[in-house]
Amino acid sequence: LLLDSKISYKMYTTTPCLSVAQSLLSNGVYAIEFEGYLSNHAKHAIVALDKLGASDHRIQEYWDKYTTLTPYHLQLHKVDTAWDSVTVNDDTSDDWKKWRGQKVHWQKMVQFLNSQDKPYELLVKEYAPDLLTGIAGGLTHGIIHLGWGIDAKNSWMTKEGLAYLNLC
């Protein structure tokens, strides 16, 4: 995995032994968007490659290339704050609703979901119905990311998708 000494890369998952694909899907290095509005597709391709039976080497190779330079010839944006430094509190639940559609605090929204201490399936049932009104925001990338996360059975990516859907 690509590592940067400036940011903490804690993996958020309940699976003790992760495949390369699951490790990458649980990787919190890169923000959900870059260049202000472009969606990060790296994890979508990882799920697809894994479902197609690509080798661990090929999956890692794709990740390394895409995260270095996207097909747009642009670099992905790394998260602004180390995940261990993103704090949530009792007000975050209210903030979740206030931040809807404002394209702010994506990391805080992911951490809010992560702090719920519930299986991702329950979080989807609880939050997705209310978020679906914003499905077209971000050219549907919030629901795409959520769907790929659910399909991959990856808790971290699913929470990213819910937070992205709230962002749109």
Side-chain angles (χ1 to χ4, degrees), residues 8-19:
S8 171
Y9 297 105
K10 184 175 181 181
M11 299 295 194
Y12 295 92
T13 185
T14 56
T15 309
C17 291
L18 298 174
S19 67

Side-chain angles (χ1 to χ4, degrees), residues 36-103:
Y37 66 95
L38 295 172
S39 295
N40 177 349
H41 294 95
K43 292 183 179 184
H44 308 169
I46 297 305
V47 176
L49 287 167
D50 189 47
K51 296 284 183 180
L52 289 168
S55 69
D56 285 349
H57 175 77
R58 176 64 185 111
I59 291 170
Q60 184 67 56
E61 178 184 55
Y62 176 86
W63 178 267
D64 293 345
K65 285 183 181 178
Y66 189 94
T67 58
T68 301
L69 193 64
T70 70
Y72 309 112
H73 299 287
L74 299 168
Q75 290 186 332
L76 293 179
H77 176 76
K78 291 187 178 180
V79 294
D80 293 325
T81 307
W83 285 102
D84 291 344
S85 299
V86 178
T87 58
V88 295
N89 55 41
D90 294 338
D91 295 331
T92 308
S93 178
D94 294 330
D95 292 338
W96 169 269
K97 292 177 184 171
K98 285 192 293 191
W99 294 336
R100 182 159 304 142
Q102 295 188 32
K103 292 218 176 248

Side-chain angles (χ1 to χ4, degrees), residues 106-135:
W106 174 74
Q107 280 189 270
K108 194 167 264 202
M109 287 189 270
V110 174
Q111 279 298 59
F112 166 68
L113 293 167
N114 206 45
S115 72
Q116 300 279 318
D117 196 32
K118 297 177 184 175
Y120 72 88
E121 298 91 344
L122 291 179
L123 291 172
V124 170
K125 287 179 183 178
E126 183 176 341
Y127 289 97
D130 194 37
L131 297 174
L132 292 178
T133 57
I135 194 170

